[in-house]
Amino acid sequence: MNLVDVFADPAAIAAAAVDRIEAALAAAEASPTLGVATGSSPGAVYELLRAKHREGTFSLDGVSAVALDEYRGLPAAHEQRYRTVLRRELVGAARTGLREEDLHVPDADAVDPETAAVHFEGRITALGGVDLQLLGLGANGHIGFNEPGTGFDARTHLTTLEDSTRRANARFFHGDLSQVPQYAMTQGLATILEAREIVLIAVGAEKAEAVRAMLHGPVTADCPASVLQRHPRVSVLLDEAAASVLDEQ
Ligand code: GLP
């Protein structure tokens, strides 16, 4: 863990994240691969990437994008399926130039999830690994959908969502908890740690305690994000509310 920065607002966080993304894609030795996250935290980043694409200064054309996770059990056309969300945010010439065939999302609905997880890992390997992985942070310290208790050696796997995670995400389902899936497929913590660089974004007071535990607590499965302390190249981009209990060290 080597950089923690606090910004005034999500737009300033997005500008810093986009700087990192541009540098990582430019430095990639082979064809670049960007790890993309969903949730509200990366929204301003994607908005800025689209704006830069419109003005002709940025493109994901020729870049591969690898998703962190995907819900299991949502209909193919559901607006909250992460493939649908990422398509809406990034895919096509009218957005960032990312090509549909270059967006890779775990097949969470596979009849045989273990084989699908192995296949997804193989895809990441075939792409040469992830150059930069964007991450959000759950209020319970999760990254991707690696809930507290997940082993650090976990690779892509099917997981059961905590009730608190389902409640937090109900806002994306018109507040209807019963619509939030119980299962998801996620890159494992070991998979995430293999990304060459990581940019984690956390915004809001409800993330403050998880931010503190991630940065200054013990490296423990109780706070899955604490494993990032073992990664050599992580940028943590926060707003003031998310950083608000860091001073109490
Ligand atoms: C979700 C996602 C994570 C995301 C996190 C935080 O459950 N699976 O990938 O980073 O929770 O979400 P948000 O950015 O909306 O707070």
Side-chain angles (χ1 to χ4, degrees):
M1 187 89 65
N2 51 19
L3 176 80
V4 181
D5 252 327
V6 183
F7 298 88
D9 55 40
I13 292 176
V18 169
D19 281 350
R20 301 294 337 136
I21 291 170
E22 288 181 319
L25 298 184
E29 281 168 18
S31 153
T33 298
L34 177 65
V36 289
T38 48
S40 51
S41 305
V45 176
Y46 299 149
E47 196 181 324
L48 182 54
L49 293 181
R50 290 193 299 273
K52 290 179 80 90
H53 187 256
R54 269 196 305 279
E55 69 191 21
T57 56
F58 178 85
S59 180
L60 288 180
D61 190 349
V63 173
S64 297
V66 173
L68 256 187
D69 46 17
E70 177 63 288
Y71 287 120
R72 180 174 171 91
L74 291 180
H78 196 285
E79 58 170 24
Q80 286 305 324
R81 264 175 67 114
Y82 286 168
R83 174 177 285 282
T84 311
V85 171
L86 290 166
R87 206 184 257 154
R88 200 160 59 221
E89 296 273 20
L90 299 172
V91 169
R95 297 191 178 89
T96 67
L98 180 68
R99 294 185 216 145
E100 175 78 40
E101 64 270 28
D102 289 330
L103 173 61
H104 305 283
V105 183
D107 181 9
D109 284 305
V111 179
D112 178 356
E114 280 181 31
T115 301
V118 169
H119 176 80
F120 184 71
E121 290 274 338
R123 184 61 67 80
I124 294 175
T125 305
L127 291 170
V130 172
D131 291 297
L132 183 146
Q133 178 67 58
L134 273 177
L135 292 178
L137 177 68
N140 65 357
H142 75 220
I143 48 177
F145 272 131
N146 291 280
E147 300 284 34
T150 307
F152 292 160
D153 57 352
R155 306 209 65 94
T156 300
H157 62 286
L158 201 63
T159 186
T160 304
L161 303 185
E162 283 201 348
D163 285 347
S164 65
T165 296
R166 294 183 62 238
R167 280 195 301 275
N169 288 359
R171 69 190 192 280
F172 296 114
F173 293 81
H174 310 286
D176 184 352
L177 183 60
S178 72
Q179 298 299 307
V180 185
Q182 288 179 317
Y183 306 102
M185 191 176 286
T186 182
Q187 285 189 32
L189 296 172
T191 319
I192 292 170
L193 280 196
E194 283 172 5
R196 285 182 269 280
E197 179 174 355
I198 291 173
V199 172
L200 182 143
I201 296 174
V203 172
E206 64 279 13
K207 303 289 173 69
E209 188 48 43
V211 168
R212 192 203 55 73
M214 167 179 74
L215 294 174
H216 302 301
V219 177
T220 163
D222 293 343
C223 176
S226 65
V227 77
L228 297 176
Q229 292 179 29
R230 293 183 177 165
H231 193 285
R233 219 158 163 226
V234 182
S235 304
V236 176
L237 311 181
L238 308 170
D239 73 346
E240 280 163 19
S244 59
V245 297
L246 290 181
D247 296 334
E248 294 167 19
Q249 289 304 304

